Amino acid sequence: MFILRLFLRLLALIAVLLGLALAVVLYYVANPKLPAWSPAQQVHYLEQWSAVDRETYYFTPQGTQVKGLRYDWFTALELPFSQQRFAAPEYLARFGFLVDPGQKPSPNNPGNLPAGFTRHQNAGSPDVFLDITCAACHTGELRFKGQAVRIDGGSAQHVLPSSVPTLKGGSFGQALVASLVSTYYNPWKFERFARNVLGQDYETRHKQLRKEFKASLDTFLKVAWNDTHRGLYPTEEGPGRTDAFGRIANASFGDAISPDNYRVANAPVDYPQLWDMWTFEWVQWNGSAKQPMARNIGEALGVGATLNFFDQNGQPLMGDARYPSSVRVRDLHLIEETLQRLSPPAWPEDLLGAIDKPLAAKGRTLFAENCADCHVPRTTQGEGRYVQHLKMLPVDDIGTDPGAANNIADHRFDLTALQWKQAELEKLDVEPKPVEPLDLSKMSVATGLAYVTAFVRDRAYQDASVTPAERPEMDGFGLPIGVRELRSYKARPLAGVWATAPFLHNGSVPSIYQLLSPQDERATTFYKGTFEYDPGHLGYRTEAFANGFLFDTRITGNHNSGHEFRAGKLGNGVIGRWLQPQERWALLEYLKVLGGPLEAQLP
C-alpha cells in the first residue's frame, strides 16, 4: 500500500512538473521576446520615386493568402493575454515591420497595417484575404538621432517566416499562431472576435466563421508541427533573412506533392535590394532566374499564394487544367513596372552627415583599382532596356558561405506524381531546352520551379484574359523562363549599397567597413534587430540590446568567410590586397555617393 501511495505521489509530482513546464512554454510562445519600439520623430522619404508609385508598391496585392487568413480576421485578432489588437501598428512594428508615426487608415490600407500588408479577393469568392506583398520584405529603414530614413526597395529587417514555437520567440509567425490559438480556444475572445468581424450577421454566421477559422488555424498548426518535428529549418533566420528557395521548394514540392520531398533548408539569405534589378540579365543570389514574371510568381508562391496540382480526387491536373492559383499576374506586372521607376537611394547629407569630398575622391581611385572589376558589369542594349551582365563568382573563389548555392545545385525532388510529359515540357518557354528526357524523379529546385511557374503563369494568363499580344510585355521584355544552377553568387552594382546592411548574401557581415577587412577582424557574433544606423562604418549598430537577435557566424549557413582583402595569395576567398584603415575609410566615403548626384561633385 505504501509503495502504491508513493508511486501515485510520484506520478502527481511528475504531472505537476510537466504542467509547469507546459505553462512556461505556452507563456513564452504566447509572449515572444520582442525588442522595444518607439516611433521615429519623422520618417524621411528619399527621392527614389513618386508618392503614387510608393503607394502602389506598398499596397498592390500579389495573390498571397497566408494560409487562408482573412483580412478582417487579422485586423480583429487580440494578443493572447490582453484585448490589445495584434495588428496594432505599434505592436507589428516590434517585429520590424514599417509604420509611420501617427499612421492612420487609408483607402488602400483600411486596416492601418505596415508597408506590404494588403488584401485581395479571388474571383467568385466573397472572402477578402490578407495579402503580404514583396514590399514587406523589400522595404528598408535606417534610424539616426531619432530620425528615420525610408529605403524603398531596400532590405527589410523583420522576423517574418517561422511559426516553429521556441522559447527564444521574436517571430511574427509564432506570435500570430499564438493569437489564433488563444482566439479559438478562449470563448470570450472568440465572442469578441466574431462580433467584431460579423457585426449584424453574428447570429446567422458565427458557427460558420468558427468552422472556417479552425480550418485556417489547423493549416498553421500543421505547418508548425511539420517544420518542427522534421527539423526543416535548423539555422534560425532572424531579422531580415529567409531560406527563400528552401521554403518555396518545401511548400511546392513537399506540402503539395509528397512528404518525401521535404529538404532541410539551412542557408538563409538576406532580402536583396530591388533598384535596377529589372536591368540584370540574371537575378537571385545565385543567378538562377531570368524572366521577371516567373521570378515574381515564384516569390508569390513562396509567400503563400495558393496552388493546386491535383483535383478533388487526388488525380494530377492535366492539359489546360494546370495549375489554378491565387497569383494575380496583372498586379505583379504593375508592381514590376513600378519598380522600373525606382532609383537607388542618394545619401542624405542633412540627415546622415556631410560627405568628405576629397576623401571620397581618393576612394573613387581605390574603387577603380580594387572593386570595379567585379562590381561594374558589362552592359548591352536589349529590347526595351539596357542589360547589365553581372559577374558570377564561383563559391570556391569568392569563399563566402556556400550553403545557399550548394543546396540549390544539389537538392533533388520527385515530381513524377505530376505526370509531366516530355513533349509538354518542350513546348514551354523554359530555357535551355532539355537535350534528353528529363528524369522527373530527380528534379532540381531551380528546374522544377521553372516548369511549375511556366504552367502557373500560363493558367493565370488564361484566367486574367491576357492576350497573346500582351504576353511579351507581361513576361518582361519577351524573355523566356531561363534557368541555371551555378555554384556561384552574383556581384551586383553598388549604387546605394550604403543603405543595404548587413552584407554578403547571408547577412553575416554587419558593416561595409568589416566587409573591406580580413575575416579575423570581423565580428564573430553581433546583435541584429535594431534600425539604429552607424553612418561611419555603414551598417546597423551591433551592440547588445534587450531581446536582440544574436547572430553567430559559426553556425551552418551563417559563415562570414570570403570576400577578403588581406595579404596573401589571391583565391579561396581572398579577392584583393590588404587595405590600410585609411584606405577603407576612403572607400566608404566614396560608396556613400556612388551612382548618386553627389558623385558628380567630387574633385
Side-chain angles (χ1 to χ4, degrees):
M1 196 69 179
F2 173 76
I3 294 176
L4 179 60
R5 286 199 301 269
L6 184 62
F7 179 70
L8 291 174
R9 289 176 181 175
L10 182 61
L11 284 179
L13 178 61
I14 292 173
V16 169
L17 292 176
L18 287 175
L20 288 173
L22 180 61
V24 170
V25 171
L26 289 175
Y27 177 81
Y28 281 106
V29 168
N31 293 273
K33 298 178 180 180
L34 301 176
W37 177 83
S38 59
Q41 297 173 21
Q42 182 179 347
V43 175
H44 300 266
Y45 292 89
L46 305 180
E47 295 181 0
Q48 294 181 259
W49 54 18
S50 69
V52 172
D53 283 339
R54 183 177 299 112
E55 186 82 358
T56 297
Y57 177 62
Y58 283 6
F59 300 116
T60 295
Q62 59 184 22
T64 64
Q65 293 194 182
V66 194
K67 299 175 177 60
L69 189 63
R70 279 38 162 204
Y71 187 83
D72 56 352
W73 297 1
F74 181 70
T75 58
L77 282 176
E78 297 175 352
L79 297 181
F81 297 126
S82 78
Q83 294 185 31
Q84 179 187 343
R85 281 197 321 121
F86 180 87
E90 61 273 14
Y91 184 69
L92 293 182
R94 296 183 67 188
F95 295 101
F97 299 113
L98 300 180
V99 299
D100 284 3
Q103 178 176 294
K104 301 295 183 184
S106 68
N108 287 334
N109 185 20
N112 199 24
L113 302 180
F117 283 68
T118 187
R119 66 209 192 284
H120 83 265
Q121 188 171 3
N122 294 328
S125 171
D127 298 317
V128 178
F129 292 95
L130 177 66
D131 191 319
I132 296 181
T133 82
C134 54
C137 297
H138 299 282
T139 307
E141 190 167 286
L142 314 174
R143 293 278 190 97
F144 186 63
K145 294 183 177 180
Q147 304 295 314
V149 180
R150 184 64 55 86
I151 309 297
D152 285 318
S155 306
Q157 294 301 310
H158 55 55
V159 186
L160 174 64
S162 179
S163 58
V164 176
T166 67
L167 294 182
K168 190 171 185 178
S171 164
F172 169 78
Q174 174 182 313
L176 175 59
V177 171
S179 282
L180 291 169
V181 169
S182 66
T183 297
Y184 183 78
Y185 287 104
N186 182 328
W188 295 278
K189 273 192 181 296
F190 194 83
E191 175 81 5
R192 287 192 299 270
F193 168 81
R195 291 191 178 277
N196 191 336
V197 169
L198 298 176
Q200 295 180 348
D201 295 331
Y202 172 81
E203 295 297 336
T204 58
R205 293 188 55 205
H206 72 278
K207 290 183 179 179
Q208 181 65 23
L209 171 64
R210 188 167 179 83
K211 180 180 178 181
E212 293 172 350
F213 188 90
K214 182 61 161 55
S216 177
L217 172 59
D218 285 347
T219 304
F220 278 98
L221 293 176
K222 179 181 177 181
V223 170
W225 166 249
N226 185 67
D227 294 354
T228 302
H229 89 275
R230 294 181 187 277
L232 294 181
Y233 307 102
T235 301
E236 193 170 0
E237 290 152 316
R241 297 199 310 168
T242 185
D243 193 318
F245 265 93
R247 286 187 175 275
I248 294 173
N250 282 333
S252 300
F253 305 148
D255 295 345
I257 298 177
S258 169
D260 293 336
N261 280 327
Y262 287 120
R263 299 289 181 269
V264 171
N266 57 2
V269 297
D270 267 17
Y271 303 117
Q273 63 269 31
L274 299 187
W275 50 85
D276 296 333
M277 183 182 64
W278 64 281
T279 68
F280 298 168
E281 181 186 20
W282 292 89
V283 296
Q284 308 295 9
W285 285 110
N286 68 330
S288 60
K290 174 177 282 190
Q291 188 192 91
M293 180 56 75
R295 176 237 305 155
N296 290 330
I297 287 174
E299 182 267 335
L301 293 175
V303 182
T306 62
L307 169 62
N308 292 327
F309 286 129
F310 306 97
D311 64 21
Q312 293 180 344
N313 298 315
Q315 296 302 306
L317 295 170
M318 307 296 287
D320 291 340
R322 295 183 178 115
Y323 287 121
S325 73
S326 59
V327 169
R328 302 170 66 90
V329 287
R330 290 195 182 276
D331 284 329
L332 286 176
H333 181 57
L334 174 61
I335 293 171
E336 184 72 19
E337 286 184 315
T338 304
L339 285 168
Q340 291 177 17
R341 295 188 289 272
L342 178 68
S343 299
W347 180 268
E349 288 189 289
D350 56 330
L351 296 170
L352 299 180
I355 297 296
D356 183 333
K357 293 183 176 61
L359 185 62
K362 295 179 181 177
R364 178 174 54 193
T365 301
L366 289 165
F367 181 88
E369 295 171 353
N370 297 279
C371 311
D373 184 57
C374 288
H375 290 288
V376 178
R378 178 177 64 89
T379 62
T380 59
Q381 184 64 41
E383 184 178 344
R385 63 170 183 165
Y386 73 97
V387 181
Q388 300 198 67
H389 304 271
L390 276 56
K391 180 171 286 191
M392 299 301 303
L393 305 173
V395 293
D396 290 341
D397 294 341
I398 191 63
T400 52
D401 191 300
N406 285 344
N407 285 354
I408 294 169
D410 293 338
H411 285 175
R412 292 295 181 268
F413 304 86
D414 185 354
L415 308 188
T416 54
L418 301 181
Q419 297 184 18
W420 291 342
K421 301 295 188 292
Q422 183 76 14
E424 294 176 316
L425 301 182
E426 290 175 354
K427 291 179 181 179
L428 298 172
D429 63 338
V430 176
E431 294 183 357
K433 297 291 185 182
V435 295
E436 57 186 32
L438 292 171
D439 185 350
L440 298 185
S441 69
K442 298 178 181 179
M443 292 287 283
S444 70
V445 59
T447 302
L449 286 175
Y451 287 115
V452 167
T453 55
F455 282 123
V456 170
R457 179 206 57 183
D458 289 351
R459 173 60 184 269
Y461 279 0
Q462 174 186 318
D463 293 343
S465 300
V466 174
T467 66
E470 292 179 289
R471 284 186 62 122
E473 182 182 352
M474 294 283 288
D475 286 342
F477 311 104
L479 293 171
I481 301 176
V483 58
R484 298 192 305 189
E485 296 158 5
L486 306 177
R487 297 182 195 273
S488 303
Y489 297 117
K490 71 177 187 289
R492 64 175 296 152
L494 298 183
V497 69
W498 60 270
T500 62
F503 300 95
L504 296 184
H505 71 279
N506 61 352
S508 61
V509 179
S511 70
I512 296 182
Y513 187 87
Q514 289 195 25
L515 190 62
L516 297 176
S517 304
Q519 185 182 1
D520 60 10
E521 294 184 28
R522 297 171 182 170
T524 302
T525 61
F526 58 94
Y527 283 86
K528 293 183 67 178
T530 179
F531 288 102
E532 295 299 323
Y533 188 63
D534 178 352
H537 293 84
L538 300 187
Y540 290 108
R541 300 186 66 89
T542 59
E543 59 266 36
F545 62 97
N547 295 331
F549 178 85
L550 182 63
F551 191 104
D552 189 338
T553 64
R554 295 165 294 190
I555 294 174
T556 299
N558 288 358
H559 302 319
N560 66 352
S561 57
H563 198 280
E564 286 189 84
F565 293 91
R566 64 174 170 85
K569 184 179 178 181
L570 297 182
N572 296 318
V574 180
I575 62 169
R577 66 173 178 83
W578 183 75
L579 297 172
Q580 298 181 23
Q582 58 266 35
E583 292 179 308
R584 301 176 208 172
W585 294 121
L587 269 168
L588 260 62
E589 203 68 10
Y590 175 63
L591 290 176
K592 295 177 182 178
V593 302
L594 173 63
L598 292 174
E599 184 175 14
Q601 300 177 16
L602 299 185

